């Protein structure tokens, strides 16, 4: 499974979602100017990245012959 290029792209997408989420939550917790300037933008980026990650997961399952 780890030698499949789609799986590696899938892992990168999932970690991108995690990183964006952690930066966004850190901004919420810290407050201040960073939060006011970037909080909504980071959460929109997270939603887009999460959508892409879910599509990649579904594509990987479908191409590997798995069932839901």
């Amino acid at each position: 499974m780890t030698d499949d290029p789609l799986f590696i792209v899938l892992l990168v997408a999932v970690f991108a979602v995690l990183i964006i989420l952690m930066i966004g939550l850190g901004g919420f917790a810290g407050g201040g100017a960073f939060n006011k300037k970037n909080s909504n933008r980071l959460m929109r980026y997270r939603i887009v990245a999460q959508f892409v990650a879910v599509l990649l997961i579904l594509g990987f399952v479908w191409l590997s012959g798995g069932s839901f």
Side-chain angles (χ1 to χ4, degrees), residues 3 5-7 12 15-16 19-20 23 28 42 46 57 67:
D3 58 341
L6 182 58
F7 184 74
V12 169
F15 282 118
I19 290 169
I20 294 169
I23 293 171
F28 285 142
L42 282 169
R46 181 195 53 87
I57 291 168
S67 62

Side-chain angles (χ1 to χ4, degrees), residues 9-27:
V9 171
L10 185 145
L11 283 179
V12 169
V14 169
F15 282 118
V17 171
L18 180 66
I19 290 169
I20 294 169
L21 179 63
M22 290 296 116
I23 293 171
L25 289 176

Side-chain angles (χ1 to χ4, degrees), residues 1-65:
M1 183 183 324
T2 58
D3 58 341
D4 188 1
L6 182 58
F7 184 74
I8 295 170
V9 171
L10 185 145
L11 283 179
V12 169
V14 169
F15 282 118
V17 171
L18 180 66
I19 290 169
I20 294 169
L21 179 63
M22 290 296 116
I23 293 171
L25 289 176
F28 285 142
F34 179 82
N35 185 32
K36 288 180 183 177
K37 185 177 180 185
N38 298 312
S39 63
N40 285 330
R41 183 180 308 139
L42 282 169
M43 290 302 113
R44 283 192 302 261
Y45 290 161
R46 181 195 53 87
I47 290 170
V48 171
Q50 192 169 348
F51 178 74
V52 170
V54 167
L55 286 180
L56 287 170
I57 291 168
L58 291 174
F60 179 76
V61 169
W62 181 66
L63 288 174
S64 66

